[in-house]
Amino acid sequence: MNDVEYRGRAAYLQNADTLVVADLHVGRVAASNVDAPLDEGADLVDRIATHLDAVDPATFVVAGDVLHVHGSVPTGAVDVLEAIVRTAESAGTTPVFVTGNHDTLLDNLDIAGDPVVTDEYRLQDGTVVCHGHEEPGGASDEEPDKVDTGETTATGTTRYVVGHEHPAIRIEGARHACFLAGENVYRDADVLVLPAFNRAASGTLVNQLGDAMSSVVGRLDRYRPVVVGDEAYEFPPLSEFAAML
């Protein structure tokens, strides 16, 4: 995955000119019914704006769990989504919301700016962005024109980019949100697992080897953790690295 620029809980896919994040969980703080020091909406919008300004992508995709819904849409969630859409469009970027398991009500919302809302989204380099809670079909009604940018699998898919897992890793006692990068691990394609973009979402520690929640991801020991600090630190596969943690 030499074309991936790892950023703070976001990935810029250079070959597709696309910025991808996952698991915004807009409304999580409001739904928790506890006092929180984090202004969730402002934090999400400001950090997205910073990434968009830095990489200037053609497309901005949220890989599922745009909302944090348990029965109803949390108060203020639509305002936050509209602010995200405005931020993307002001940057000259097309916003796309891929639905996740928390997004059952997303299609019912009237979001100003009319972002693309879809179950999965295929990028111009053959990458399919989906949430990962269900088996992907491998295509999208909204897919852009394809270009020949490299080898593809029999399905035409070079890579799957997913969320859902909220991966995190503990190194020397400190907990870090992390990416997981796996080569040729699902349908003969690579898989990139994104950390939760919402900093209020608890991460799932990957230190103990086992299977992920998502069938797309499968066995975690095949994946390399990537932690972003002052720079991106790429570690060996968990099958080799876990014993050193």
Side-chain angles (χ1 to χ4, degrees):
M1 299 190 198
N2 294 330
D3 72 313
V4 179
E5 179 183 329
Y6 295 102
R7 304 184 55 80
R9 298 182 184 238
Y12 175 55
L13 311 181
Q14 296 170 341
N15 289 348
D17 195 16
T18 298
L19 178 72
V20 189
V21 302
D23 297 285
L24 297 184
H25 285 278
V26 172
R28 182 184 180 92
V29 171
S32 67
N33 293 320
V34 297
D35 291 332
L38 180 69
D39 184 340
E40 179 187 71
D43 181 68
L44 292 172
V45 173
D46 289 349
R47 288 163 53 223
I48 288 170
T50 297
H51 289 309
L52 292 173
D53 183 61
V55 299
D56 190 25
T59 310
F60 168 63
V61 184
V62 180
D65 281 0
V66 181
L67 293 169
H68 188 75
V69 168
H70 288 286
S72 62
V73 178
T75 302
V78 173
D79 292 338
V80 175
L81 295 183
E82 290 183 340
I84 290 171
V85 171
R86 286 196 303 271
T87 299
E89 291 178 340
S90 294
T93 300
T94 300
V96 179
F97 293 154
V98 170
T99 54
N101 53 296
H102 279 273
D103 293 322
T104 54
L105 300 180
L106 185 59
D107 278 333
N108 300 333
L109 300 182
D110 184 13
I111 303 171
D114 253 352
V116 175
V117 178
T118 182
D119 291 339
E120 57 191 61
Y121 196 78
R122 182 183 290 274
L123 304 178
Q124 64 182 9
D125 66 341
T127 295
V128 169
V129 182
C130 56
H131 186 54
H133 64 302
E134 296 178 339
E135 294 279 353
S140 168
D141 292 336
E142 301 289 344
E143 66 182 25
D145 293 337
K146 297 183 180 67
V147 296
D148 184 8
T149 56
E151 294 182 1
T152 62
T153 67
T155 62
T157 300
T158 58
R159 167 175 54 197
Y160 294 89
V161 176
V162 303
H164 191 50
E165 298 290 343
H166 300 191
I169 193 166
R170 181 174 284 126
I171 301 174
E172 296 182 346
R175 190 183 187 112
H176 306 272
C178 71
F179 300 84
L180 295 174
E183 296 182 359
N184 196 31
V185 292
Y186 179 73
R187 296 182 180 176
D188 298 322
D190 298 342
V191 174
L192 177 63
V193 187
L194 304 179
F197 195 73
N198 190 322
R199 294 192 288 186
S202 60
T204 303
L205 288 174
V206 298
N207 297 58
Q208 294 183 339
L209 301 183
D211 292 339
M213 293 184 293
S214 168
S215 59
V216 177
V217 179
R219 288 170 35 213
L220 294 179
D221 61 346
R222 300 176 294 177
Y223 288 80
R224 293 181 296 105
V226 180
V227 176
V228 176
D230 295 334
E231 59 184 281
Y233 299 93
E234 300 189 39
F235 295 98
L238 281 165
S239 58
E240 305 170 20
F241 183 54
M244 295 183 278
L245 297 173

